[in-house]
Amino acid sequence: MKRKGTGLIRTALALAALAALLWLAAGAILAVQRARIGELERQIASLTAETVPIRFMVESRSDDRLTARFAFLNLAGTEYARTTATVRGTSLFVDLLVVPYGDAWLAFPYRAFGELEAPADGVEFGGLVMKDGLPRSHEGGPFDHGSLAELGRLYAAYLAGAQPAGAFGSAVHDVASLGRFKLGVPYRVVARKAGGIEILED
Amino acid sequence: MDEGALKSFLYGFSDLARALFASPWGLALVGAVVVVVLLARVWNAARDRALACAAAGKRLGAGEAALVAVKELGSAIVGAGAAIPAILAAVAAGAALVAVADSLRSLEEMKANAERVRELSAVVRHLEGRYKVMDVRVDSVTGGTTTLSLSYYASDGRDGPAASETLSIAGTDIYLDAVVCNFAYTEIAGGREVNLAVPYRIFSDRVPESQGLPLAVSGPDGVPYMYERAENDIYGLAPGVYRERLAELVSVMGDDAASRREGIVRSVYGNAVHRRVASGDRFSVWVEASGGLSIKDSLRF
C-alpha cells in the first residue's frame, strides 16, 4: 500500500515537472513572439507616421501670380516661423531638402516657386529655418544641441550649393489637370520616414 | 470526453485553482473554510464531552474545555501530517493539471501570435516596398547644360527598363516631375494596391517647369509604363478587365476629391524630385509604398 502511494506521488511529481517544463518553454516562446509583434507594430507605426514641416494656404491666384501663406513647424508641431510669398505661376511648388539620417530621412523646408519661374528664382526659406546655425525645423524632437548643429551644417552647405551625400530635393505641387490648391484651404506638407513627401488637405 | 469538453474541464479547473490559491481573496476563503472546519471539529468534541459530563452529573469546566480543544487540534494536525503524501500527490496533480491547461492556452496563443507575426510582417513588407520609376545617368555637365540618359521602368516583371531616352537641359539641379497617387494605408498594408507615379516632365533650377521637356514615358498604346503592371500586381484580373479597371483608376486619379471620398486614394499631386548632378552620377527615382517619391542611389541598397 505504501509502495503504491509513493509511486503515485512520484508519477504526479514527474507529471508536474514535465508540465512545468512545458509551461516554461511556452512562456519563453510567447515572450519572443510578443517582442516580435511589438517590434513589427512599432515599425508599422513608424512607416506610417508623419511629420509636418510646413502648412500652407493659397490666398490668391491670378493668371501669372500666386500668393500663399506658409507656417513652419518643428518636430513637436510648434510653429516657429510664418511668411507670405508670391510666386510666378498658377501652380505652387513647395520644395524641401530630404537628407538621410540613420535609418530615417529628414525633411527641411527649402523654397517655393511657381511653374513660370525657374526654381532658383523662387522664394528661399533658409533664413526662416536657420537660427544661430541650428535648424529650427528639427527642434522639439530627439536631437540634442550637437546633432542639431550637425544638421545645421548639412543644411547650410546645401543652401550654399553643395550636394550632401544621399540628399535630394522634393518639390510637391498641384497639377492643373488634377485640380489646383483651393483658395483659403489649409494644406499640410507631410514628410514620411522613407523619404517621401506628400501633400494632404488639412 | 471530446477535445472541447476536456479543454473546458482543464481551463475551468485551472481558473478555479488560480482563483482559490493564487489570489488574496481565494486564499482568505480557503483559510476561512479550514478555520470553520477546525472550529466545528472542536465544537463537536467539546459538546460530546459536555454531554458526557452532564450524564455523570458534572459540569464541563473551562480548563477541561481548553484541553479538549487543544487535543482536538493536535489530532487534526497529526491527521493532516499522516495525509501529507496524499496531499502532496493531490497538490502535484492539481499543479500538473494547471500547467497542462496553461500550456494548452499558451499553444493556442502561440498559434495566434504566429499568424499575427505573419500578417504584420506582410504589412511591413508592403509598407517598406518601393518601385523603381526610372534610372538616371548623367552623361555630361558642360557649360551649365546637363545631358542625361533616362530609363523608365514598368512593374510588370520584365527585365530591364521599358524605354530609354537621352535629354539635354540647361541647369545642374535636375527636377524630375511626376504625378503621384498614394493609396490609403489600409489598401497598401493589405497588399491590394501599390502607389503609382507617372513621370511626365523634366526641368531644372534654371528652367521653369512650364518650359521643361516632356518625358517619353508612355508605351505605344498610350499607357504609361508605370501602369503596365502584372495583372496580379493590382487587380488579379484578366488583361481585358484589367484595362477596364485601369481606365477606372485613371478616372479616379482624375478626380482627387471623389477618390478621397471613396477612401481609396490618400493623395494625388505632383512631385518633382531633384538633385544637383555632376558628370557620371547615377541614381534612381523610386515611388515609396509609405508615400511620395525618393531618389536613392544603388550604394544605399
Side-chain angles (χ1 to χ4, degrees):
Chain A
M1 187 67 190
K2 190 183 172 187
R3 219 173 182 180
K4 195 178 168 188
T6 310
L8 191 68
I9 292 169
R10 277 186 184 161
T11 307
L13 285 174
L15 277 175
L18 184 66
L21 274 178
L22 272 175
W23 180 77
L24 284 173
I29 293 170
L30 280 176
V32 170
Q33 282 183 324
R34 285 176 193 141
R36 176 72 181 139
I37 287 172
E39 183 192 324
L40 286 167
E41 284 173 344
R42 277 191 297 278
Q43 221 173 329
I44 290 167
S46 143
L47 281 166
T48 56
E50 57 179 56
T51 51
V52 181
I54 299 177
R55 280 200 160 88
F56 68 91
M57 186 168 74
V58 177
E59 290 187 326
S60 67
R61 182 189 285 119
S62 66
D63 288 345
D64 62 352
R65 286 280 188 282
L66 180 149
T67 300
R69 204 165 54 193
F70 297 88
F72 299 87
L73 313 173
N74 67 15
L75 294 180
T78 307
E79 184 180 316
Y80 63 86
R82 169 177 283 264
T83 191
T84 300
T86 298
V87 298
R88 288 189 54 219
T90 53
S91 279
L92 174 64
F93 288 70
V94 183
D95 204 351
L96 290 96
L97 166 66
V98 184
V99 177
Y101 193 87
D103 65 343
W105 294 75
L106 307 178
F108 298 80
Y110 179 36
R111 64 184 166 199
F113 56 92
E115 84 278 14
L116 297 179
E117 63 190 337
D121 298 329
V123 180
E124 281 216 1
F125 296 142
L128 294 168
V129 173
M130 289 291 267
K131 188 181 178 189
D132 302 328
L134 303 179
R136 292 195 283 172
S137 53
H138 289 79
E139 288 176 343
F143 301 109
D144 59 18
H145 189 271
S147 305
L148 280 175
E150 184 191 340
L151 293 177
R153 281 192 292 276
L154 209 63
Y155 182 56
Y158 188 81
L159 293 177
Q163 171 62 51
F168 66 93
S170 189
V172 284
H173 60 95
D174 51 347
V175 181
S177 57
L178 297 177
R180 298 289 191 201
F181 292 136
K182 295 169 206 153
L183 294 182
V185 173
Y187 292 87
R188 65 181 190 274
V189 177
V190 171
R192 302 285 178 196
K193 190 194 173 194
I197 305 292
E198 212 175 324
I199 295 180
L200 296 170
E201 198 176 310
D202 246 3
Chain B
M1 190 181 274
D2 63 16
E3 191 186 334
L6 183 62
K7 271 187 189 172
S8 298
F9 164 73
L10 281 172
Y11 292 169
F13 180 84
S14 169
D15 290 343
L16 182 66
R18 276 176 191 286
L20 287 178
F21 299 106
S23 72
W25 286 108
L27 286 172
L29 183 66
V30 170
V33 168
V34 170
V35 168
V36 166
V37 167
L38 286 176
L39 284 177
R41 191 168 168 162
V42 170
W43 173 259
N44 260 343
R47 198 186 57 176
D48 289 349
R49 178 59 62 94
L51 285 173
C53 286
K58 291 199 293 184
R59 195 166 172 271
L60 181 65
E64 195 177 357
L67 275 176
V68 168
V70 169
K71 189 182 164 195
E72 202 55 38
L73 285 175
S75 111
I77 289 168
V78 170
I84 277 178
I87 291 170
L88 273 181
V91 168
L97 282 179
V98 170
V100 166
D102 280 5
S103 300
L104 277 178
R105 277 187 174 135
S106 297
L107 282 175
E108 284 174 357
E109 193 182 339
M110 262 188 257
K111 199 175 156 194
N113 282 352
E115 183 60 29
R116 179 94 178 120
V117 166
R118 261 195 301 279
E119 285 170 8
L120 291 176
S121 299
V123 170
V124 168
R125 197 171 57 250
H126 290 140
L127 287 175
E128 279 186 334
R130 58 175 63 89
Y131 289 90
K132 193 187 274 190
V133 180
M134 68 170 90
D135 278 337
V136 180
R137 192 185 70 220
V138 182
D139 296 330
S140 67
V141 180
T142 48
T145 296
T146 302
T147 301
L148 314 116
S149 293
L150 306 173
S151 302
Y152 307 112
Y153 284 83
S155 296
D156 58 0
R158 75 181 76 168
D159 290 331
S164 300
E165 65 176 325
T166 300
L167 293 167
S168 290
I169 190 164
T172 55
D173 191 350
I174 305 302
Y175 285 68
L176 299 154
D177 204 359
V179 171
V180 178
C181 173
N182 294 315
F183 288 92
Y185 277 131
T186 48
E187 302 295 308
I188 300 291
R192 290 182 291 279
E193 303 286 4
V194 288
N195 291 339
L196 299 172
V198 183
Y200 67 100
R201 189 177 290 269
I202 182 171
F203 59 103
S204 77
D205 54 330
R206 299 289 160 205
V207 177
E209 194 259 2
S210 59
Q211 293 169 29
L213 305 172
L215 300 175
V217 294
S218 296
D221 52 3
V223 175
Y225 296 120
M226 283 307 292
Y227 281 93
E228 289 185 357
R229 295 178 181 279
E231 285 81 48
N232 288 337
D233 213 12
I234 294 183
Y235 295 112
L237 300 173
V241 183
Y242 169 70
R243 295 275 162 185
E244 274 178 39
R245 293 289 176 275
L246 181 61
E248 284 174 17
L249 184 63
V250 171
S251 115
V252 162
M253 282 185 66
D255 188 346
D256 187 19
S259 57
R260 270 192 271 112
R261 272 199 305 277
E262 286 169 27
I264 307 166
V265 172
R266 193 172 69 236
S267 56
V268 184
Y269 57 99
N271 193 175
V273 285
H274 60 101
R275 193 166 190 173
R276 290 172 183 145
V277 297
S279 185
D281 281 357
R282 283 169 182 265
F283 55 87
S284 303
V285 177
W286 302 78
V287 58
E288 299 285 345
S290 56
L293 293 182
S294 67
I295 289 179
K296 283 165 187 167
D297 49 51
S298 53
L299 290 176
R300 292 192 63 78
F301 293 96

